[in-house]
Amino acid sequence: MTSDAVPVGVLALQGDFREHLAVLASLGADARPIRRESELAEVRGLVIPGGESSVMDKLSRAFGLADPLKDAIRSGMPVYGTCAGLIMLADRILDGIPGQQSLGGLDVAVRRNAFGSQLDSFETDLDIPELGEPAMHAVFIRAPIVEETGPAATALATVADGRVVAVEQGNLLGTSFHPEITGDTRFHEYFLRKVRARE
Ligand SMILES: NC(=O)CC[C@H](N)C(=O)O
C-alpha cells in the first residue's frame, strides 16, 4: 500500500455505492464498503451514496450504524453525501416519510424529490467556483434540493433558478446530483483532499 492509499469508506447498505467505490479507487484511495461499526472505525473519510434515503435511514438504524455514523460526523470525519446521502447529512428533512430520520451535521433543510414529476431526472451544467473550470455536468435523479441554508453551511452550486444543489460545512460536503456516474471526479478529489488534510 502506498502512502497515498488513504482508507476511505462508502456506506454500502443500499444505493449506488459501487460507483463511488470505483471512483475513489481510481483516485488512488483504499476504498472500502462499510456495513458495520468495526469497518467504519478503520476509515478516515466516508461517502454516503445515492439511493433511497428512507431505506438507508431504516437500515442504518437496524444495523446499529446510525449512532456510530453520527459520532463520526461529529468527530470531524470528512463525509460526502450525494443525493440520498445529502438527505442523510441534512439537519432537517422536508417531505420525508413519517418517522424518517437523518444523521444530520449539515445546517440545511433538504426537500426530497423536489424537482417534481416532469423533472424526475434531468441534466445540466453547473458553475462551481471552488472546483474551477469547466462547468460540471450534473445528473439529477429524483433529486433533493437544499431549501434553507443555515448560517453554518455554505452553498457551492445553484441551478439556473437559484436553488441550492451543493453545500459544504467544515468537513461535510453534499450534492443533490451524482458525480459518481459522470466521470467528473472533482468532487471526489475535493473530498479526498479534506481526508488527507486531516492526516
Ligand atoms: N438519486 C437519489 O439518491 C434519490 C434520492 C431519493 N429520492 C430519496 O429521497 O432518498
Side-chain angles (χ1 to χ4, degrees), residues 50-53 83-84 87 112-113 141-142 178:
E52 173 46 54
S53 58
C83 203
I87 298 169
R112 293 174 63 232
N113 304 331
I141 304 167
R142 290 177 59 77
H178 292 271

Side-chain angles (χ1 to χ4, degrees), residues 14-16 49-56 82-88 93 95-97 100 111-114 120 139-144 175-178 180:
Q14 192 267 338
D16 76 333
E52 173 46 54
S53 58
S54 58
V55 177
M56 228 181 270
T82 60
C83 203
L86 164 64
I87 298 169
M88 292 294 289
I93 301 178
D95 288 343
I97 68 162
Q100 182 170 351
R111 186 174 297 282
R112 293 174 63 232
N113 304 331
D120 229 8
V139 176
F140 295 78
I141 304 167
R142 290 177 59 77
T175 59
S176 299
F177 49 94
H178 292 271
E180 72 278 13

Side-chain angles (χ1 to χ4, degrees), residues 151-163:
T154 305
L156 294 181
T158 57
V159 283
D161 65 9
R163 291 192 284 176

